[in-house]
Amino acid sequence: MWVRREQIIRKIIRLQQNELYQLVQKSLNLLFPFVLIGSISQLIQITMLNRNSLLPTIFGFSSWLSRYRFIEIIFDHLTSLTLGIVAALAAFSMAHYTAKRYQRDEKLASITGLITYLILTVRYTNNGELAFGQDMLGMGGLFLGFLVGYLVGLSFKHLANSQQQDKSSSGVTWNRALDSLRAIIIVLVVAICFSILLNWLAISVLPDQVILRLQSLKANQTSLLFSVAIVILAGIMTFFGLTSMPILAHFGRNGVAMTANLNYALIHHTIWGVPYPFSLGTLYESFGAIGGTGITLSLVIAIFLFSNQRD
């Protein structure tokens, strides 16, 4: 037992020395103040500014809140401008530290990472206008933001020239911009191509049609392997902002398998031996959708109880 614990500690130490781990840690440290401010603002919104929440109901200032809606609007904007764009900020910070690690122009790399991520989140609406996919800009797109920023930093490593000097003269600044121009152009062109592809998939409603078509295959709903494959497919689509994971639970509740299972349970007064033991709804809701604020709070409490590091 003690040997296994020592092996785990050594693996954790090696992980902390990993270059990618250090880049992510630096980026998270940069994002922390904004996430903290946004979290406090959201906490105030939920607990104090929501007329149906506990505190307004207990202390009876629900009617007072209805007369001063501007206070709720202020905190709503503050939350949206911090937590609502944290994934874009992650792309910014990750590109900055990655380019700096390889002695490239971190200022241009960070701006390029931010613009690249915003290009990927642009969605064309039905009336021809452009809008940003909010699911990809917020906390749900944090991992994708880190990934895009890291790839942008690597692009600067291979496509831009090394920056050894840091002078403020206009000539040196202009030369630094030209040294990174090829990397900026190639990254933005690739981002635009990916954005067009993602928008075509979203507009053609291809992802939802794929899930619906596969879900309609009654014979395959009894297969555990098939259900797991659909969950993975939907997860990949959700990662790129093409569909939503709750769609699995929705289809699972309304499918043929769920109806047959319900009829069996009502007739036999037990769920043991249902004709479709594996379905998207039961698997996703039981094992794929666990987590949220409760699990996160438990993790924080566990860290406070058992961590030996003062910080």
Side-chain angles (χ1 to χ4, degrees):
M1 185 67 180
W2 178 258
V3 176
R4 183 175 300 177
R5 181 181 179 184
E6 290 293 332
Q7 292 176 349
I8 295 175
I9 293 176
R10 285 197 295 267
K11 289 182 180 179
I12 293 175
I13 294 175
R14 285 199 298 267
L15 176 63
Q16 292 176 342
Q17 296 173 348
N18 182 268
E19 176 185 298
L20 181 59
Y21 176 89
Q22 294 177 355
L23 293 173
V24 172
Q25 187 179 45
K26 291 180 180 179
S27 300
L28 288 173
N29 290 335
L30 184 64
L31 295 177
F32 173 74
F34 303 99
V35 175
L36 179 62
I37 293 174
S39 300
I40 294 175
S41 175
Q42 190 175 56
L43 178 65
I44 294 174
Q45 281 184 279
I46 296 174
T47 59
M48 300 183 64
L49 300 181
N50 186 355
R51 290 183 295 275
N52 298 321
S53 60
L54 182 62
L55 292 181
T57 303
I58 293 177
F59 296 102
F61 55 87
S62 299
S63 58
W64 179 84
L65 288 175
S66 61
R67 294 195 299 268
Y68 296 95
R69 292 292 304 276
F70 69 91
I71 300 178
E72 183 179 355
I73 294 175
I74 292 174
F75 281 94
D76 182 60
H77 290 343
L78 181 60
T79 303
S80 299
L81 293 174
T82 50
L83 296 182
I85 61 171
V86 69
L89 296 178
F92 177 92
S93 60
M94 192 66 176
H96 173 91
Y97 287 114
T98 305
K100 186 177 181 179
R101 168 67 177 79
Y102 297 111
Q103 297 181 346
R104 300 301 189 267
D105 196 320
E106 67 272 13
K107 299 180 181 64
L108 290 177
S110 57
I111 296 175
T112 305
L114 176 62
I115 296 176
T116 299
Y117 192 78
L118 292 178
I119 291 175
L120 293 176
T121 59
V122 167
R123 292 292 177 265
Y124 301 101
T125 60
N126 294 329
N127 54 5
E129 298 179 354
L130 297 179
F132 291 105
Q134 296 300 320
D135 294 338
M136 295 182 65
L137 285 176
M139 296 295 293
L142 187 62
F143 178 78
L144 183 59
F146 282 130
L147 178 61
V148 171
Y150 182 66
L151 293 178
V152 170
L154 291 181
S155 301
F156 269 71
K157 172 188 175 183
H158 296 289
L159 300 175
N161 296 329
S162 177
Q163 305 294 324
Q164 301 294 341
Q165 298 178 348
D166 189 13
K167 299 180 180 179
S168 58
S169 62
S170 59
V172 174
T173 304
W174 177 252
N175 290 332
R176 291 176 64 125
L178 291 178
D179 290 339
S180 303
L181 186 60
R182 181 177 61 173
I184 295 174
I185 292 176
I186 293 177
V187 168
L188 293 182
V189 169
V190 173
I192 291 173
C193 294
F194 269 99
S195 179
I196 293 174
L197 175 62
L198 295 177
N199 276 279
W200 176 79
L201 290 174
I203 292 174
S204 64
V205 203
L206 178 61
D208 291 341
Q209 292 298 325
V210 170
I211 298 297
L212 279 170
R213 178 59 180 168
L214 293 175
Q215 181 68 11
S216 65
L217 300 177
K218 177 182 177 181
N220 289 331
Q221 291 188 11
T222 60
S223 172
L224 175 61
L225 181 61
F226 173 80
S227 300
V228 172
I230 295 301
V231 172
I232 295 175
L233 175 62
I236 295 174
M237 291 179 177
T238 305
F239 180 80
F240 290 102
L242 298 177
T243 185
S244 176
M245 287 299 287
I247 199 171
L248 295 177
H250 174 71
F251 290 154
R253 284 193 294 265
N254 299 331
V256 177
M258 192 60 66
T259 303
N261 290 340
L262 179 61
N263 292 333
Y264 181 91
L266 293 175
I267 295 174
H268 298 85
H269 304 288
T270 179
I271 61 174
W272 188 263
V274 292
Y276 300 98
F278 307 114
S279 65
L280 295 182
T282 54
L283 286 176
Y284 173 72
E285 290 185 337
S286 302
F287 303 102
I290 59 174
T293 55
I295 295 296
T296 306
L297 182 60
S298 302
L299 176 62
V300 172
I301 294 174
I303 291 174
F304 282 141
L305 290 176
F306 300 104
S307 177
N308 295 324
Q309 297 183 5
R310 184 177 179 181
D311 57 348

